[in-house]
Amino acid sequence: MTYIDGFIVPVPTDNKEAYRKQAAEAAPLFKEFGVRRHVEAWDSDVSEGKVTDFRKAVDAKSDEKVVFSWFEYPSKQERDTASDKFMNDPRMKEMGANMPFDGKRMIYGGFEAIVEEGAPGGDYTDGFVVPVPEGKRDAYRELASKMAKVFRQHGATRVIEAIADDVKHGEVTDFYRAVKAEDGETVVFSFIEWPDKQTRDDAWAKIMADESLKPDGEMPFSGQRMFWGGFEPILDSAKREPAHA
């Protein structure tokens, strides 16, 4: 299964183009290191949650937007090899000294895919971060696999559900704090790729109205502490040319 490095980044709204440009310039370097695919998606439909949400996750300021981003690798071994190159290449150090965002509030981690349906692509992404009890991993995977097929039937090009494998606790923010993880819980980083926002909106309307998909019994995760939102890709290294805002 695919290995994912997932990122959530607070970026000043005025720095959107600077962020996109830096990411586009870095893409060939990331590919050199072994990143199979690199996606950067800009806040499009991210709502405020009562308990958690994308903005709370990175303590986003009023003049900031959230970027949902990920790297894809064929395996954890190739990801670990790439990580060593990231840490030791002087070009990365130079790039890190001129970031158009607050790196201290960025959160990131490594996730192992447990559900993977469809093929990469699309111009709109739903991103999710979910707290899951360790003892309910199998139940969560079963539910996620079922729903992935539903999303695909409604037009999604791809669904990835990836569970925490190398997610560290940060000094300021991290994935565990983002979902207010309790003892015995892990974190899932998930996304759905759609051809466009209209397809996504139509699909969700149909799914939410489908009585056969209503929850039956206790869910294998905390719905109150999961969060999600819609994002428009501003860079996708799998495409011939990076997407522009």
Side-chain angles (χ1 to χ4, degrees), residues 193-205:
E193 297 184 66
W194 302 94
D196 49 57
K197 187 176 187 298
Q198 189 62 57
T199 301
R200 175 260 201 175
D201 291 347
D202 292 345
W204 274 111

Side-chain angles (χ1 to χ4, degrees), residues 45-236:
D45 183 16
V46 174
S47 302
E48 181 178 355
K50 292 182 179 179
V51 181
T52 59
D53 58 46
F54 273 103
R55 296 186 62 80
K56 291 183 177 72
V58 291
D59 189 24
K61 312 305 180 186
S62 60
D63 64 342
E64 292 178 328
K65 290 288 190 176
V66 177
V67 170
F68 182 83
S69 173
W70 72 88
F71 294 162
E72 297 182 20
Y73 301 90
S75 67
K76 184 179 189 298
Q77 182 178 355
E78 293 187 48
R79 179 264 195 175
D80 290 346
T81 299
S83 293
D84 288 340
K85 295 177 181 178
F86 279 119
M87 294 297 294
N88 296 304
D89 194 293
R91 293 170 293 178
M92 289 300 300
K93 294 179 181 178
E94 180 180 349
M95 188 184 308
N98 298 285
M99 298 186 297
F101 62 92
D102 182 1
K104 291 182 179 179
R105 288 183 287 123
M106 175 181 75
I107 62 177
Y108 59 93
F111 299 82
E112 186 78 47
I114 55 174
V115 172
E116 186 170 0
E117 294 271 355
D123 287 326
Y124 203 81
T125 299
D126 275 322
F128 304 81
V129 181
V130 190
V132 178
E134 288 282 3
K136 295 185 178 180
R137 281 180 177 236
D138 290 343
Y140 182 86
R141 182 188 293 109
E142 183 178 346
L143 175 63
S145 181
K146 171 186 173 182
M147 290 306 301
K149 292 176 174 57
V150 172
F151 293 132
R152 293 275 288 132
Q153 289 168 0
H154 284 80
T157 56
R158 191 186 191 205
V159 181
I160 291 282
E161 298 267 1
I163 203 156
D165 171 74
D166 182 18
V167 177
K168 296 178 173 60
H169 293 274
E171 294 182 4
V172 180
T173 59
D174 59 47
F175 276 104
Y176 298 108
R177 273 181 265 194
V179 294
K180 301 185 183 299
E182 299 175 354
D183 289 344
E185 287 186 333
T186 187
V187 181
V188 166
F189 181 92
S190 172
F191 54 88
I192 307 169
E193 297 184 66
W194 302 94
D196 49 57
K197 187 176 187 298
Q198 189 62 57
T199 301
R200 175 260 201 175
D201 291 347
D202 292 345
W204 274 111
K206 293 175 182 176
I207 291 169
M208 296 302 290
D210 189 340
E211 292 295 327
S212 69
L213 297 176
K214 299 296 182 184
D216 182 18
E218 183 179 358
M219 300 295 283
F221 62 91
S222 172
Q224 291 184 332
R225 289 182 288 115
M226 73 173 288
F227 56 90
W228 65 92
F231 298 84
E232 295 178 344
I234 56 175
L235 182 145
D236 184 346

